[in-house]
Amino acid sequence: AMETKARSLEAAGKAAEAFQEYKNTLEVYKFVYRWEKNPSVKEMIRQRLEDLFAQERAERSKHFDTVGEKVESLSRALSTFDALVHKEMEERTKENRRIWDAIDNHT
């Protein structure tokens, strides 16, 4: 039930609340695992914990990929902007030289 609630919160975009609910779920699993005597129940809990960790790793990987894509996109945009600024500076420098040459040649 706690895990389901955490998933619902996550799906609703309430990441902080979902994270707290996941932490609570893990604490319960950890407590039950520590005190449970039945080996088959302990194995079920261990397997569920492994599944949760695998899901977390997959989510982190997906998030990392998304962040990486955003960084690459920003880097390309920055390179484009840098090229435009450099070109503008060159054009202004040429224009300034042309103006100063005209002033020097006029007198």
Side-chain angles (χ1 to χ4, degrees):
M2 293 173 74
E3 191 178 331
T4 304
K5 181 179 178 186
R7 284 191 188 134
S8 297
L9 288 167
E10 189 174 13
K14 299 178 180 178
E17 293 174 43
F19 179 72
Q20 186 60 47
E21 198 63 31
Y22 278 124
K23 280 177 50 176
N24 294 341
T25 301
L26 289 173
E27 287 299 317
V28 170
Y29 281 155
K30 189 169 76 171
F31 177 81
V32 172
Y33 186 82
R34 178 181 293 162
W35 298 105
E36 181 59 50
K37 301 293 183 203
N38 185 333
S40 62
V41 172
K42 284 186 97 156
E43 179 59 26
M44 280 187 346
I45 292 171
R46 187 192 63 73
Q47 184 61 47
R48 190 63 204 131
L49 284 169
E50 284 183 9
D51 291 345
L52 285 172
F53 287 132
Q55 289 174 1
E56 174 62 22
R57 280 191 297 274
E59 281 297 315
R60 284 183 188 210
S61 176
K62 184 171 70 172
H63 177 69
F64 181 75
D65 291 345
T66 302
V67 169
E69 290 169 3
K70 288 179 181 178
V71 168
E72 287 177 20
S73 175
L74 287 171
S75 179
R76 286 190 302 271
L78 182 59
S79 293
T80 301
F81 182 72
D82 186 51
L84 290 172
V85 168
H86 187 70
K87 183 178 177 183
E88 179 70 20
M89 287 173 54
E90 286 177 353
E91 289 174 1
R92 288 183 182 203
T93 300
K94 285 179 186 177
E95 182 65 17
N96 284 341
R97 282 188 194 135
R98 190 186 65 74
I99 290 171
W100 281 108
D101 285 345
I103 290 172
D104 286 343
N105 291 332
H106 181 64
T107 56

